[in-house]
Amino acid sequence: MPPPQPCDAAADPSTAPDSKISTTASIQYWNTISPDVNGMLGGFPQISRIDLRGSLNFITKLRRLSSNCQVRNAPKLLRAVDCGAGIGRVTEGFLTHICDVVDVVEPVVKFAQVLEDGALKQEGKIGDVYVTGLQDWTPTKTYDLIWNQWCVGHLTDTQLVAYFKRCGAALSEGGWLVVKENLSTHRFGEDIFDHVDSSVTRSDQKFRDLFREAGLQIVKAELQTGFPKGLGLYPVKMYALRPK
Ligand code: SAH
């Protein structure tokens, strides 16, 4: 569920939307997409700056809320991971500004390659690059921040709950799991399957149910504001989570 998307995609109510997800189809789709910000944002590159600013504001508020000295007062967090990172738009535009080192998880080789070959990797600001899907990834380190943006729609509900549990177990004391995703605007509150990239767009209620199932609590949640009207984009929400 990539980027900002027009919310008029046709929904097929016959089966659970997430049962139609095909990893093969989604990887095939992403391989046809150009490795640039326009590709990452589904043809809406102009929203990148607003998106990154919204994320920074959200983290700033989270850090103020925190009683943990390391995450509240340190100039930077120690280690974050950008999950479903694409070419590293979020890593470059936001995460490396607030973290010493950012690991990256991205299943599409040509996107991961952009990160491997880039200056941030040379400078040591990008750490490990894991070329795999989130459904197959188990964190092997402790992270202050696990960032998931516009990618968890490629996992089924079952895969996502298992993945969230693994993330919860990999957070440092005071760390956050953040999920920043489009929300379904289906009039009966259903998730919406997107045939183009083989992903689902979930409702706010579905996200809350999956978080609860994974043993996570919402520390803070906020809608992204400031995207231009008239593009027909889905609403975008940020959730900061921690194990209960
Ligand atoms: N988060 C980035 C990229 C969004 S585009 C940003 O906000 O700019 C969606 C990304 O999800 C693509 O890079 C795509 O390759 C990746 N993706 C597709 N299937 C995935 C999966 N199963 N696990 C993790 N990432 C996946």
Side-chain angles (χ1 to χ4, degrees), residues 13-89:
S14 56
T15 46
D18 73 320
S19 68
K20 300 178 189 161
I21 291 171
S22 154
T23 303
T24 315
S26 56
I27 300 300
Q28 261 171 17
Y29 166 81
W30 282 107
N31 266 300
T32 68
I33 297 301
S34 58
D36 52 29
V37 171
N38 185 52
M40 296 299 102
L41 295 184
F44 301 103
Q46 69 273 34
I47 67 150
S48 189
R49 271 186 49 195
I50 303 160
D51 163 64
L52 296 168
R53 199 183 316 130
S55 300
L56 181 60
N57 288 342
F58 186 65
I59 281 294
T60 306
K61 288 185 220 163
L62 268 181
R63 290 185 75 165
R64 277 198 211 116
L65 277 179
S66 182
S67 54
N68 180 291
C69 292
Q70 206 291 318
V71 296
R72 187 187 161 96
N73 296 326
K76 280 190 171 183
L77 303 176
L78 295 180
R79 190 175 281 270
V81 56
D82 186 0
C83 297
I87 59 162
R89 183 187 67 86

Side-chain angles (χ1 to χ4, degrees), residues 99-118:
C99 276
D100 286 340
V101 181
V102 181
D103 289 347
V104 159
V105 187
E106 169 55 48
V108 172
V109 175
K110 71 173 183 180
F111 296 159
Q113 202 60 46
V114 172
L115 291 156
E116 285 283 10
D117 298 342

